[in-house]
Amino acid sequence: MSSVVGDGTSRTGRPVREAPWAEAVFPVALTALGVFTIVDATRIFVPGSANTLGPRAFPYAVGALLVAVGVVLVIGLARGHRGDAEDSEDVDSGVGTDWPTVAKLTGSFAALVVLIEPLGWPVAATVLFGGTAWSLGARPWWRPMLVGAVLAVVVHVVFTQMLGLFLPAGPLDGVRFFG
Amino acid sequence: MGDFAALLDGFTTAVQPIYLLYALIGVTLGTAVGVLPGIGPAMTVALLLPLTYTLEPTAALIMFAGIYYGGMYGGSTTSILLNTPGESASIITALEGNAMAKAGRGAAALATAAIGSFIAGTLATVALTLLAPAIADVAVKLGPQDYVALMVVAFLTVAALLGSSPARGIAALAVGLFLGLVGTDTLTAQQRFTFGVPALADGIDVVVVAVGVFAVGEALYVASRMRRGPIPLVPISGKFMTKDDMRRSWRPWLRGTAVGFPIGTMPAGGAEVATFLSYSLERRLSKRKHEFGNGAIEGVAGPESANNAAAAGVLVPLLTLGLPTSATAAIIIAAFQSYGIRPGPLLFQNESALVWALIASLYIGNVLLLVLNLPLVGVWVKLLQIPRPYLYAGILTFAALGSYSVGASTSDVVLLFLLGVLGWTMRRFGYPIAPAVVGLILGPIAEEQLRRTLAISQGDLTALVTSPFAALAYTALVVFMVLGWWLKRRQARTEAELAAAARAESQPAVVEGGRR
């Protein structure tokens, strides 16, 4: 059921399939992770009393599994066993990866990480929500910001006042209902 | 009859107004979030987990039970009313239910799904009530080597049977096992694979992983290739349920329950296989085979019931053995662990009151779902119309909230995003997510049991297979693998037939599909 519009190109004319090497990145990374796991496991200290199965054995096994499955997958890819992208309600399987949107989204997320402690959850979450919605196509820009601000404040009050979780209030610290 | 008295006690706890309220909140939120497109049951449970952080265990688990059943139910509304390919767990409902809705019988499709879910959920909860204590009694006697055997069974079946090929499932499992290694080794109290980051010393929180790979992963995946244009919603029309619909539905409801529950209890069973099996069973038994693919009510009633019965079946190994057989179950285990409760055979002895209150609230949750869903369907339709930019912005905001509130540290939020990138990559290239979450939860437990076994046997490896239960489990593993492989082939065949039928059928629909 993947592509009803399967004419091979998206509206922007990009080919649907990305470069064949793109798919090999994940298995190769798995193999590398496996090698790292095995190497790093040799540095785990084994106490003398652990005469049977020490703290290294399981990491060795996981590392070996990662290497083995990575190699099998790379060989499979070379033979043309490609994976199908997962179907999802809001995913258009007929288009290529939209890198600019992903970059904007990553930026919004980074903004939250940077802002949450100095400026508090209400501000940081507004930026995250507004930035994400804007990069996904919500216009004009102030509308998602406004929705985000309302959501962030409501969430802040509900979670800190009613559910007793901690969220940083930033400059609002000490203000009533913000903690 | 001790169990019956315990269940009654559970009911007296669960019907207290405050707990009823928590059950109601759980069911409502679970359904509301589950209805949202792109959000499956596992993501629903993971996203709503922070709500229960500060509650006492009984209240939290009662609310959680509601979220679980509500989330399972919510997905079917989405697939009936939204004209896009959805998640595989409810894809059969999507096929038949969507076809019914387009043919002007949406109301009947929603009704048969709701009533079927209620009947299947209730019957399966009865089965759970009867079966779980008996299994727990047996499970108490299991030694560490038996647990190793159970973990091996869970690992291999989950990895080999979910996803498009065994290698991909095992790759996902291996990633999960690695993530499970990060943290402090319980037996020697030293840090492993923490990269010197203090935040990793306690290990990677399961909530962060689940929310990261499911919610952030999905949001990134959708952002990278979003379906633009108007939301193709099918309006609800037609009669609620006619006598004829009822006559055609009741047998599939019962058969779906009978298929779904046992499959749910099996490792790697889960809802997906159950719905496919029920669908092909209904199609085989039906006298109106030509209607299948074009909106046969049996094709909604059976799989929907199987789906909910499997959801209850999953709780059997979860509560009695501490063995999660699906991603959702793995997150539920994480929820238990955050209260210092370890699901497993001792649960029915040590936390008897809690477990029975939980089981009682499952019955109550089912009733609430039935009462809520039919009248509230208009609200759910509104939720389906949320503009996608706002929907995914909301998902990311709640994901960030959940991961930050785990430990009030930004490093968890950074980790969340990195895991989101992992989840996106896995989705993009067809790796199943569930084995990774199961591996993360079970990996550390498996390592501990393995080391205990070998410490007791003083390094004698044969101890792993010589206990009768372990030997039985490994034999069962072989049977499961053969059975699972057969089921999978059946599923593929059904899919191929459906695809062929759809192609033959829907040449004009392709034009309509050019709506964007």
Side-chain angles (χ1 to χ4, degrees), chain A residues 45 55 86 88 91 98 163, chain B residues 54 190 192 218 221 224 227:
Chain A
F45 172 70
E86 195 176 278
S88 175
V91 165
D98 181 359
L163 292 170
Chain B
T54 52
Q190 62 178 320
R192 295 187 301 188
E218 174 81 10
Y221 183 45
S224 72
R227 192 187 293 275

Side-chain angles (χ1 to χ4, degrees), chain B residues 14 49 73 79-80 116 119 235 245-246 407 432 452 457 462 469 484:
Chain B
L49 197 55
Y73 179 82
S79 41
I80 289 171
I119 290 175
D245 288 335
M246 206 53 137
R452 274 177 54 192
S457 76
T462 56
F469 180 86

Side-chain angles (χ1 to χ4, degrees), chain A residues 155-165 175-179:
Chain A
V155 162
H156 190 94
V157 172
V158 167
F159 275 76
T160 58
Q161 307 301 307
M162 289 166 68
L163 292 170
L165 282 174
V175 178
R176 201 159 168 228
F177 296 127
F178 284 89

